[in-house]
Amino acid sequence: MSITGDAVVTTPPSAQLPETTVIRSWKTPIALAIFSVLFGVLLLAAPRAGETTFHLSTAADALQLPEILAPVMPTAWITLVVGVLLTAASAYFVRAFGRSPLWIVAAYIIVVVVGFLTWAAAGGTVPVAGLLAGSLGLAVPLIYGALAGVIGERAGVVNIAIEGQLLSGAFTAALVASLTGQPVLGLLAAAVAGMLVAFVLAAFAIKYLVDQVIVGVVLNVLVTGLTGFLYGALLVPNEQQLNRPERFGRIQIHVLSEIP
């Protein structure tokens, strides 16, 4: 406060700016460092000689890409060094900005996987196109299972019975498609089987308030035992009638089906 003539001027105290707290998560650089150490120990403990051939395309592709010959140990050590540099970059971003960007993790996975495949397939070949196709095929049921878990979480139910839903759906689809000769009916039967497992989970968890995790584990064990028993009792003795399901045919998309 200051007095100027007859006027009294009150100076408000300076407004204090709120302090900004940066939360740093070191999980990503620590995990990358652990994987780098394990990869380095693997290369030191079991060195391999020779070259690895990477096939980037198949004989049916319209665009034929050349093969890549990679010397095993030099390539593996180079990928390890690049992985260590990416780990250091991740630690820098966490130090400076509080988190590590996702592209570092993606680049690290690609680099280390290339190095590991070069080491594992020493003297042989790596069919890159086949690996990618197989990865996409195996990822489809995992993605659907993850979506089922997300929907359950949004509804307030912890769905531990996803494995039981997938297993019951696969068993029912094979059985129905074999009996009817219609893959569409097998697909619909798989959905109904998964819904029945989800109905049992919902009935016990929501209506009777049973612990959701326990119900999910019990359902997984129940479906595993039931499908295993039915497979041995029905499908194995009658394989030609009950375990020869009709499959969906491949859909050839012009241009896309002809590239690697």
Side-chain angles (χ1 to χ4, degrees):
M1 182 176 64
S2 61
I3 300 176
T4 306
D6 296 332
V8 178
V9 180
T10 303
T11 304
S14 59
Q16 295 182 355
L17 297 177
E19 296 182 358
T20 302
T21 303
V22 178
I23 301 177
R24 295 181 175 87
S25 177
W26 293 93
K27 295 180 181 179
T28 299
I30 291 175
L32 299 184
I34 293 174
F35 283 113
S36 298
V37 171
L38 293 177
F39 189 34
V41 171
L42 177 65
L43 296 181
L44 291 174
R48 293 187 174 186
E51 294 181 338
T52 300
T53 304
F54 287 88
H55 285 295
L56 302 181
S57 59
T58 63
D61 295 330
L63 177 62
Q64 294 294 322
L65 300 178
E67 297 179 349
I68 297 178
L69 295 177
V72 175
M73 294 310 296
T75 303
W77 283 113
I78 290 174
T79 56
L80 177 59
V81 171
V82 175
V84 171
L85 294 177
L86 291 173
T87 303
S90 176
Y92 167 77
F93 278 102
V94 171
R95 177 81 177 180
F97 306 104
R99 58 175 301 186
S100 177
L102 185 60
W103 66 266
I104 290 183
V105 179
Y108 182 91
I109 292 175
I110 294 174
V111 169
V112 173
V113 166
V114 170
F116 179 78
L117 289 177
T118 304
W119 174 86
T125 59
V126 177
V128 178
L131 288 178
L132 293 178
S135 299
L136 290 176
L138 294 176
V140 171
L142 298 180
I143 292 174
Y144 279 118
L147 289 176
V150 171
I151 294 174
E153 291 285 349
R154 297 285 292 179
V157 177
V158 180
N159 188 2
I160 306 296
I162 299 175
E163 181 181 356
Q165 290 177 280
L166 294 176
L167 186 57
S168 62
F171 180 86
T172 308
L175 183 62
V176 173
S178 299
L179 291 174
T180 62
Q182 298 293 330
V184 176
L185 294 180
L187 181 63
L188 295 176
V192 172
M195 290 170 56
L196 291 177
V197 177
F199 172 77
V200 176
L201 174 64
F204 281 96
I206 298 175
K207 183 175 178 58
Y208 299 106
L209 302 180
V210 182
D211 187 275
Q212 301 169 5
V213 177
I214 295 178
V215 176
V217 173
V218 171
L219 284 176
N220 285 335
V221 176
L222 174 64
V223 174
T224 301
L226 184 61
T227 54
F229 170 76
L230 293 177
Y231 175 77
L234 294 178
L235 269 63
V236 173
N238 306 284
E239 184 177 358
Q240 296 297 329
Q241 295 79 20
L242 302 180
N243 199 18
R244 283 291 185 268
E246 292 292 330
R247 301 175 181 269
F248 288 100
R250 291 179 176 269
I251 300 176
Q252 298 293 335
I253 302 176
H254 186 61
V255 178
L256 291 180
S257 61
E258 300 174 355
I259 64 176

